[in-house]
Amino acid sequence: RWNKQEGGTNVLPLYASWEDNMKKLLVSTAITMALMSTSAIADVAACLITKTDTNPFFVKMKEGAEAAATAAGMDFQAYAGVTDGDAAPQINAIENCVAAGAKGILITPSNDSVGPALIDARTAGVLVIALDTPLADKNAQDMTFATDNFEAGLLIGQWAAATLGADAANAKIGMLDINKDNISVDVARDTGFLVGFGIEVPNLNVMGSETDPRVIGHETSYASVEGGVTAMENLLAREPDINVVYTINEPAAEGAYQALQNAGKTGVLVVSVDGGCPGIASVKDGVIGATSQQYPLLMASKGVEAIAKFAADGTKPSASDGLTFFNTGVNLVTDAPVDGVPSIDSDRGTELCWG
């Protein structure tokens, strides 16, 4: 069911295949930009609106988008919310972009409340591409460029279960989500992890529908170090013997690890998603057991290419084969590989990391 729900595939492509595809995409981007005349896109403006401007993931997005816009001769503006889940600054940014005549908006939506403003933008003729986080209202975006976040969660869930072996049947799992808003990326990673671990999830569209007693609870981390500390402390107060911790991203994982250390806990499996350089270093150091690495620079640079193409001839981007979004790839990074779960090690992850 999860494959149909998320449009994923049963088997993660071998890394070599993914790397070849990335090279082809980057070459394609360069060729596309070269073929577009400067006069056709010189007056085109592209906007990038991220959830925050401090998370290395979004910093790398900005870097990729800005470089692609410069290469294409496009004007570029970047905006960000103050905290993850903070929609008001994003709504203001959307309105500013439309008023300024932007031809395209790339956005990592804080939540679905930005949808109406994006629908208005599309009505005004602006191409809207969601990066990393699709909106629930499909009319709010023309396309999503993203990691398969369900697959990312699935991989770390499968790894955690295989690492525990028979002990997985008695696991005590703490879940550190962004918040309680059921943001699409939050839901996909959370439920993907649970399914990968072998836990039945009745409703893949919301967090917390599972009834398996191995799940101790879901706590809000705000995808930050500080939030991760507080969330982990709350979970430990509920169940001191937690031995598996899922985290929405690597800053939350760092906070969880700090709380575990402060409580004198050792041997707890911590898993995460992102693949930033600090996170990969945490894998190498044994702080994080495994993380699913995604590629934000590619999301943003391909998004800018799509805006340039749309400005040139009205062509809108298409989804990857068999999916409902443009898939920018994911790889599990761990130095403790398990049979049946494809992965790369932290050395290779370091070569590919960001931030």
Side-chain angles (χ1 to χ4, degrees):
R1 181 184 174 198
W2 58 264
N3 284 327
K4 294 180 181 178
Q5 179 75 20
E6 296 298 324
T9 55
N10 283 330
V11 180
L12 182 69
L14 291 175
Y15 177 74
S17 175
W18 179 90
E19 185 174 39
D20 289 344
N21 288 337
M22 175 176 271
K23 289 177 180 177
K24 290 176 183 177
L25 287 172
L26 293 175
V27 171
S28 171
T29 299
I31 292 173
T32 300
M33 295 303 188
L35 290 176
M36 292 178 180
S37 68
T38 301
S39 60
I41 59 177
D43 297 327
V44 174
C47 283
L48 172 69
I49 306 171
T50 55
K51 295 178 182 179
T52 72
D53 59 3
T54 54
N55 187 319
F57 184 80
F58 303 129
V59 172
K60 182 56 66 171
M61 269 190 180
K62 180 180 177 183
E63 180 184 316
E66 195 164 25
T70 299
M74 297 169 63
D75 290 333
F76 175 76
Q77 292 292 328
Y79 303 84
V82 178
T83 60
D84 208 322
D86 185 14
Q90 289 199 323
I91 293 171
N92 290 336
I94 294 165
E95 293 169 349
N96 289 339
C97 290
V98 174
K103 195 64 177 176
I105 293 174
L106 308 175
I107 183 168
T108 57
S110 283
N111 55 48
D112 287 328
S113 66
V114 302
L118 291 172
I119 291 172
D120 289 343
R122 292 189 67 205
T123 300
V126 178
L127 180 73
V128 175
I129 297 175
L131 301 180
D132 184 54
T133 307
L135 291 117
D137 188 344
K138 299 192 183 306
N139 293 319
Q141 69 244 298
D142 291 282
M143 184 53 61
T144 299
F145 285 20
T147 301
D148 187 334
N149 282 295
F150 188 87
E151 181 79 4
L154 188 84
L155 287 168
I156 55 176
Q158 290 173 332
W159 178 86
T163 298
L164 287 177
D167 289 338
N170 301 309
K172 295 181 179 180
I173 304 168
M175 305 288 293
L176 273 63
D177 301 311
I178 297 175
N179 54 33
K180 305 297 184 184
D181 292 344
N182 285 310
I183 301 167
S184 58
V185 64
D186 212 6
V187 173
R189 293 181 186 181
D190 174 300
T191 57
F193 167 80
L194 292 172
V195 171
F197 198 86
I199 290 172
E200 182 179 356
V201 181
N203 187 346
L204 293 174
N205 297 310
V206 298
M207 295 180 292
S209 70
E210 73 282 347
T211 58
D212 194 307
R214 289 178 291 177
V215 180
I216 303 305
H218 298 251
E219 287 289 332
T220 293
S221 72
Y222 299 108
S224 69
V225 175
E226 297 80 4
V229 171
T230 301
M232 193 69 245
E233 289 173 343
N234 291 341
L235 287 165
L236 286 171
R238 198 177 311 170
E239 173 50 74
D241 294 327
I242 283 175
N243 63 349
V244 179
V245 179
Y246 155 85
T247 60
I248 179 65
N249 68 357
E250 288 148 6
E254 181 183 336
Y257 183 77
Q258 288 180 18
L260 290 165
Q261 290 291 100
N262 293 340
K265 302 296 181 182
T266 59
V268 179
L269 282 183
V270 179
V271 296
S272 198
V273 178
D274 261 357
C277 295
I280 300 302
S282 290
V283 171
K284 188 178 289 288
D285 292 341
V287 172
I288 297 174
T291 191
S292 286
Q293 187 173 58
Q294 49 184 343
Y295 304 98
L297 189 148
L298 186 61
M299 292 181 200
S301 61
K302 294 299 289 184
V304 169
E305 177 190 346
I307 293 172
K309 179 99 175 133
F310 176 70
D313 60 18
T315 300
K316 293 186 176 183
S318 301
S320 299
D321 290 346
L323 301 174
T324 59
F325 59 93
F326 185 94
N327 188 4
T328 52
V330 62
N331 284 293
L332 182 74
V333 182
T334 182
D335 287 331
V338 296
D339 290 341
V341 185
S343 65
I344 58 176
D345 63 22
S346 63
D347 288 339
R348 190 62 177 135
T350 299
E351 294 175 5
L352 297 168
C353 71
W354 40 265

